[in-house]
Amino acid sequence: MTENSQQHSSPSTELPTQYAPAEVEGKLYERWVERGYFEADAKSDKPPFTVVIPPPNVTGVLHLGHAFEHTLIDALTRRKRMQGHETLWQPGMDHAGIATQNVVERELGKEGKSRHDLGREAFVERVWQWKDESGGQISGQMRRLGDGVDWSRERFTMDEGLSRSVQTIFKRLFDDELIYRAERIINWCPRCLTAISDIEVEYQDDEGELVSIRYGEGEDSLVVATTRAETMLGDTAVAVHPEDERYRHLVGRTIALPLTDRRIPVVADAHVDPEFGTGAVKVTPAHDPNDFEIGQRHDLPSVTVMDAHAVITTPGPFQGLDRLEARSAIVAALRADGRIVAEKRPYTHSVGHCSRCKTTIEPRLSLQWWVKVAPLAKAAGDAVRDGRVAIHPQEMEKRYFDWVDNLHDWCISRQLWWGHRIPVWYGPNGEVVCVGPDEQPPTGEGWHQDTDVLDTWFSSGLWPFSTLGWPERTDSLAKFYPNSVLVTGYDILFFWVARMMMFGLYAMDGTPPFRTIVLHGMVRDQFGKKMSKSFGNAVNPLDWMDEYGSDALRFTLARGANPGVDVPIGEDWVQGSRNFANKIWNATRFALMNGATVEGPLPPAEELSAADRWILSRLNATVAEVDAFYDDYQFAKLSDALFHFAWDEVFDWYVELSKTTFMGGGEAAKVSGRVLGEVLDVTLRLLHPIVPFVTETLWTTLTGGESLVIADWPKDSGFRDPAAEREIDTVQQLITEVRRFRADQGLQPGQRVPARLTLEGTPLAPHEAAIRQLLRLQPEGEGFAATATLPVSGVEVALDLSGTIDVAAERKRLAKDLAAAEKEKAQATAKLGNEAFLAKAPDQVVDKIRGRLAKADEDITRIQAQLERLPAA
């Protein structure tokens, strides 16, 4: 079943009585790293398996989302390493331009300084200093979690090699006319003073006002509604739908723009919805993305009315006012002029905010650098359509295509100082020169470099190949590109995944950056609510790891990981996983004390008991099942399969069934010890990728092997024994039914009861000793009186309950329960028989009553059976 080629020392039976994660995890992880288990060899002849870490921000700390994602990736890579692949899990961090600059600027603010006081070079040096001293806390936290990354290859998006990759691809895209500079509408943060990407905009419902303003006079007037009255100073048209009869007479004419001395045209544009509002919209091309497109179609001028700080710049009474101050002043002026037709206050609407500083975003016309995405996005779509890249779960493909098939050109410039500076120089006579990494920038009077830096997503989009040494044709690039799989959240499918697809296909001659994209959901609290500090439900995963151990957190997260679905998690579940780790520990400790071993081959099937053959059959079936789930990225299902096999079948049944064998000693005990050793060996291997620490400790003690990290992954030997599975299933049914009866009679679990078992001539006969042990059934003895008889699984179990329970009291208690169940049944039956009630009641109410009726029927049947089994009073 296993083909472990490691050298084994003699196994030890010494295990502490309790598992203490804090005493084990840190030492184990450092041993793994020191021995180089996670390092990937580019010159190896093993088949490669590559995964990149979605690079966390250098400013970040480990949150539950990271812990979840890292658990899944670590499970995949640990298994592939055990399967004999040259496995690379590539670590590293993102420089996180705007987030990092904000952190350092806040630190400067405490000193009463700004970045402008330092100047660009000194400020960037200060950021590097902060990064070296304070950044990257997440690296230590990844070690706590057990991430099996190749630390020798750790990269940073601003390091020398990756900066070379960034400059190289910018130059290539520029030369291929896929990068250009143009004035367009962007998301502008007046606090951070930079363009920001769509992913850095958070939308929330804000309370504002909706005002309706009359433009023009008399019959030649129309009404527009807006939540941003301050932008009317930049209106250059009013637009109506071409087929709207109400305004056909105005199309092509001009009307007066209130509060100004300008007249603006009325244009017909199909973008306008004639059914919405008045069917007329103000057009402000410099301050609204849709208006900008209308302006382009109708050759309208773009009038910018605010500066970078969102302060009004238009000459007149509003000049110098902040946009919100101007809004109130302009509405007041319009009201005084009789131009306000209607006002709605408060008016709740969705407003974009900067995710970093929470300032309201200002759509702004700005001169920026752009990537022409059409050909790149087509290639990214084609790679999925033609099967070169698979998206899992497959239903996420539609979201991917909806995005890449409708991509707008990408604004890649940011008005920051921290980041990859745009490699373009401007000359005194309007020259524009893009410089590659091996080229000298132009010098001389009047030449200067562009002051902007690149969007962080530009460099992280190169991550699958820049980390391997591209643009050089390195051994690592040849060995480990393309990546085998990408594991990431569905929330960045568009922003990060699509960019990696576009850049990878472009830079690597049509080879996509990964073969499979596995999308997971978001971690939520146990009630399905988004975790947030503001909600008071955010959890620091380190707290749970400190309390319950890293394995407990990992197993909880993996058990919730259904493809593409959000993951609820609560502390109770982590406690349950801690209990599972303890169960593994205690069962292995018991096995070691009772002679479990991996020494020598397994005995032939004919020398094995039915229980031995049953557990080996189930073990092989579980190996096959777990492999199938891994290959389909069904982490929740494989974790659940392992949990139930280990806890239910190995620990609760096989170990218990084997106790009588171990107590009997002799050759049978040796055989069961070897089988139990084999079962634990394989089970610990199967569990290791998800719960690496406890399994490593137990497996090395059991087998004397060097490490599970480099052990062989189990293989399904093909051994199945349906007859043994049926036989043990019958034993389980018998024991379960008698246990249920004992519980129903109020017997304590350890209370011994005299019993006669009629097993002779049945498949259960060889199991009598185990059955009696597990059910606490004594031999009949003198004076035995069968006061209760249970026909179960084709045999008869007669129990003498005299002296163990108060039969009269038990009958009275059951009679009371039966009356309550019959009353519940009568009430539910009456309601369901009432046509008037059924006609009015909601479906969920009716379903609930049907459920009550079904449960009442079950209770009545159960209680009646209990009464029949009781001895005569």
Side-chain angles (χ1 to χ4, degrees):
M1 183 157 321
T2 58
E3 300 175 2
N4 188 5
S5 59
Q6 297 182 85
Q7 294 295 316
H8 292 270
S9 58
S10 297
S12 167
T13 59
E14 294 300 317
L15 277 176
T17 55
Q18 290 184 320
Y19 177 50
E23 297 175 13
V24 169
E25 294 175 351
K27 295 174 185 175
L28 266 188
Y29 188 83
E30 290 311 312
R31 186 188 310 159
W32 292 333
V33 173
E34 288 167 7
R35 293 181 179 180
Y37 292 156
F38 304 137
E39 293 180 11
D41 181 3
K43 297 185 183 297
S44 164
D45 58 3
K46 296 179 182 178
F49 184 82
T50 317
V51 183
V52 294
I53 188 174
N57 289 354
V58 68
T59 57
V61 294
L62 190 76
H63 56 65
L64 272 179
H66 286 125
F68 173 53
E69 187 168 81
H70 290 201
T71 295
L72 304 187
I73 300 174
D74 198 42
L76 288 177
T77 53
R78 284 179 182 270
R79 172 176 176 256
K80 285 296 182 181
R81 193 178 290 111
M82 294 173 75
Q83 287 181 316
H85 287 72
E86 194 61 41
T87 302
L88 170 60
W89 184 9
Q90 173 68 54
M93 287 180 290
D94 192 289
H95 66 279
I98 192 170
T100 306
Q101 179 159 320
N102 280 349
V103 168
V104 178
E105 285 197 76
R106 281 196 295 271
E107 293 298 313
L108 283 174
K110 295 174 184 177
E111 303 170 15
K113 298 178 182 178
S114 73
R115 61 182 164 119
H116 300 285
D117 294 324
L118 271 65
R120 185 169 193 141
E121 287 188 15
F123 176 77
V124 170
E125 186 177 329
R126 178 72 175 261
V127 180
W128 276 109
Q129 179 184 340
W130 175 88
K131 185 260 181 188
D132 293 338
E133 293 175 357
S134 308
Q137 296 179 57
I138 205 166
S139 296
Q141 295 164 338
M142 287 167 61
R143 293 171 183 265
R144 282 289 312 278
L145 190 64
D147 287 1
V149 299
D150 185 347
W151 291 110
S152 69
R153 293 172 175 267
E154 187 176 12
R155 303 306 298 269
F156 180 54
T157 49
M158 285 283 286
D159 69 27
E160 185 177 351
L162 270 64
S163 295
R164 179 178 177 82
S165 300
V166 169
Q167 194 172 353
T168 298
I169 201 160
F170 187 99
K171 169 70 171 172
R172 291 189 185 180
L173 290 164
F174 182 90
D175 289 347
D176 287 344
E177 298 183 348
L178 292 173
I179 280 183
Y180 64 94
R181 197 177 188 220
E183 268 198 327
R184 290 195 172 185
I185 294 283
I186 45 88
N187 300 310
W188 181 264
C189 177
R191 154 62 183 79
C192 299
L193 297 180
T194 181
I196 64 174
S197 66
D198 290 340
I199 197 173
E200 292 165 320
V201 179
E202 293 179 348
Y203 287 90
Q204 66 184 48
D205 286 341
D206 287 357
E207 283 192 358
E209 60 181 348
L210 180 69
V211 294
S212 298
I213 310 167
R214 183 176 298 282
Y215 284 26
E217 304 295 341
E219 293 184 359
D220 292 342
S221 67
L222 36 71
V223 175
V224 300
T226 182
T227 57
R228 306 182 66 228
E230 69 278 10
T231 63
M232 68 166 291
L233 300 176
D235 287 358
T236 57
V238 173
V240 298
H241 193 274
E243 297 177 6
D244 194 331
E245 293 291 340
R246 294 171 294 176
Y247 305 117
R248 186 169 296 224
H249 67 290
L250 290 175
V251 174
R253 296 169 58 185
T254 64
I255 59 174
L257 178 64
L259 306 184
T260 72
D261 57 3
R262 291 194 290 122
R263 295 185 68 82
I264 57 176
V266 177
V267 299
D269 195 279
H271 171 76
V272 179
D273 180 1
E275 303 299 323
F276 184 77
T278 64
V281 296
K282 60 193 287 297
V283 181
T284 320
H287 294 277
D288 182 276
N290 292 321
D291 292 2
F292 178 79
E293 297 296 332
I294 294 174
Q296 294 288 294
R297 287 194 289 272
H298 296 277
D299 198 25
L300 300 174
S302 296
V303 177
T304 300
V305 300
M306 292 178 225
D307 64 13
H309 297 274
V311 171
I312 301 298
T313 56
T314 303
F318 312 111
Q319 187 174 10
L321 295 180
D322 171 79
R323 56 183 166 169
L324 298 181
E325 296 172 335
R327 182 177 302 168
S328 298
I330 287 171
V331 170
L334 289 167
R335 191 183 299 114
D337 202 27
R339 292 286 174 178
I340 299 295
V341 174
E343 297 180 66
K344 186 174 182 181
R345 191 182 295 112
Y347 178 74
T348 302
H349 59 129
S350 182
V351 177
H353 295 259
C354 174
S355 63
R356 306 298 177 187
C357 68
K358 311 308 175 187
T359 302
T360 300
I361 290 302
E362 186 63 43
R364 184 168 187 254
L365 185 64
S366 182
L367 183 62
Q368 304 282 348
W369 285 94
W370 304 81
V371 172
K372 187 184 296 182
V373 300
L376 303 174
K378 182 181 183 305
D382 290 345
V384 174
R385 286 189 170 95
D386 64 25
R388 281 175 290 158
V389 177
I391 293 179
H392 185 88
Q394 191 173 2
E395 53 265 29
M396 287 285 183
E397 280 187 5
K398 182 179 184 303
R399 296 179 66 177
Y400 176 79
F401 292 135
D402 286 346
W403 179 257
V404 297
D405 293 347
N406 297 286
L407 267 180
H408 298 293
D409 285 359
W410 170 22
C411 176
I412 56 171
S413 46
R414 299 289 181 267
Q415 291 64 54
L416 304 171
W417 286 357
W418 173 245
H420 297 99
R421 194 151 169 194
I422 288 176
V424 171
W425 271 255
Y426 305 108
N429 299 311
E431 300 95 334
V432 178
V433 177
C434 181
V435 177
D438 298 316
E439 300 171 355
Q440 290 296 318
T443 57
E445 188 177 346
W447 282 93
H448 63 280
Q449 187 177 358
D450 196 301
T451 57
D452 288 352
V453 300
L454 287 163
D455 178 12
T456 299
W457 295 101
F458 190 94
S459 51
S460 61
L462 314 180
W463 193 246
F465 52 93
S466 63
T467 51
L468 299 173
W470 186 90
E472 313 308 325
R473 294 290 170 174
T474 63
D475 291 340
S476 291
L477 190 66
K479 179 74 174 179
F480 297 114
Y481 188 92
N483 290 188
S484 307
V485 63
L486 173 75
V487 180
T488 191
Y490 63 68
D491 58 324
I492 54 174
L493 171 64
F494 315 130
F495 306 106
W496 186 46
V497 179
R499 281 152 174 67
M500 286 191 290
M501 286 285 283
M502 291 191 295
F503 280 165
L505 290 159
Y506 173 78
M508 298 300 293
D509 303 319
T511 302
F514 18 73
R515 296 187 179 91
T516 303
I517 301 168
V518 176
L519 298 170
H520 60 72
M522 304 297 101
V523 177
R524 297 181 178 273
D525 71 11
Q526 66 265 43
F527 306 110
K529 191 174 181 180
K530 179 181 177 182
M531 284 193 173
S532 166
K533 289 181 182 178
S534 61
F535 294 156
N537 63 349
V539 174
N540 181 346
L542 293 178
D543 293 341
W544 281 353
M545 286 191 277
D546 289 342
E547 181 73 19
Y548 307 110
S550 298
D551 286 331
L553 176 63
R554 289 170 62 116
F555 194 71
T556 305
L557 291 165
R559 282 194 83 181
N562 289 298
V565 178
D566 288 345
V567 183
I569 183 172
E571 188 168 3
D572 288 352
W573 305 341
V574 187
Q575 290 175 350
S577 296
R578 186 267 314 274
N579 295 343
F580 179 50
N582 289 341
K583 185 83 169 180
I584 302 169
W585 183 272
N586 293 333
T588 306
R589 190 167 176 271
F590 165 84
L592 287 167
M593 291 190 296
N594 285 275
T597 179
V598 297
E599 299 297 322
L602 279 171
E606 57 269 19
E607 296 180 16
L608 302 177
S609 69
D612 293 336
R613 287 181 279 112
W614 162 72
I615 198 63
L616 290 174
S617 181
R618 290 295 307 127
L619 179 65
N620 277 282
T622 301
V623 171
E625 186 178 29
V626 168
D627 274 333
F629 286 142
Y630 259 118
D631 292 340
D632 197 34
Y633 306 102
Q634 298 279 359
F635 297 98
K637 289 182 179 179
L638 73 89
S639 300
D640 217 43
L642 285 169
F643 175 84
H644 289 294
F645 174 71
W647 191 306
D648 300 345
E649 297 184 281
V650 179
F651 307 146
D652 277 359
W653 283 109
Y654 182 70
V655 168
E656 294 299 318
L657 289 170
S658 301
K659 282 182 178 179
T660 52
T661 306
F662 288 132
M663 286 189 290
E667 191 60 32
K670 289 182 181 179
V671 169
S672 286
R674 178 65 189 92
V675 171
L676 182 53
E678 179 75 9
V679 170
L680 287 174
D681 177 11
V682 174
T683 302
L684 292 170
R685 292 173 194 252
L686 291 172
L687 283 165
H688 176 72
I690 298 174
V691 285
F693 295 108
V694 67
T695 53
E696 174 84 340
T697 306
L698 295 173
W699 186 85
T700 52
T701 304
L702 171 71
T703 69
E706 182 183 342
S707 174
L708 263 178
V709 180
I710 54 171
D712 290 336
W713 182 253
K715 292 182 180 178
D716 174 11
S717 70
F719 176 79
R720 301 288 191 278
D721 193 327
E725 291 196 33
R726 287 193 296 272
E727 184 173 325
I728 299 302
D729 182 59
T730 304
V731 173
Q732 291 172 333
Q733 289 177 28
L734 172 68
I735 291 172
T736 301
E737 189 61 30
V738 176
R739 278 176 173 166
R740 184 181 295 119
F741 175 75
R742 287 176 57 108
D744 287 343
Q745 305 311 312
L747 297 175
Q748 295 301 313
Q751 189 172 354
R752 294 196 168 273
V753 177
R756 179 172 61 238
L757 305 182
T758 310
L759 305 180
E760 191 173 342
T762 75
L764 298 180
H767 303 284
E768 180 167 354
I771 291 170
R772 284 187 176 276
Q773 172 67 24
L774 291 172
L775 289 173
R776 305 294 189 269
L777 302 179
Q778 297 175 182
E780 300 169 49
E782 291 186 17
F784 175 83
T787 58
T789 303
L790 282 75
V792 184
S793 302
V795 301
E796 189 174 271
V797 179
L799 303 173
D800 183 353
L801 301 179
S802 58
T804 60
I805 61 172
D806 183 335
V807 176
E810 186 63 15
R811 281 191 176 279
K812 186 176 181 181
R813 182 185 70 81
L814 290 173
K816 183 179 179 182
D817 290 346
L818 181 61
E822 287 173 337
K823 181 180 179 182
E824 174 73 2
K825 178 179 179 178
Q827 290 175 342
T829 302
K831 282 193 174 182
L832 293 173
N834 185 335
E835 293 296 334
F837 169 77
L838 293 176
K840 294 179 180 179
D843 290 345
Q844 60 267 32
V845 172
V846 175
D847 289 342
K848 187 174 181 180
I849 294 172
R850 286 183 178 135
R852 283 168 49 193
L853 177 60
K855 185 176 185 306
D857 279 331
E858 290 175 7
D859 289 344
I860 291 168
T861 301
R862 175 178 55 80
I863 296 167
Q864 287 174 339
Q866 289 175 240
L867 284 166
E868 289 171 7
R869 290 170 179 165
L870 280 175

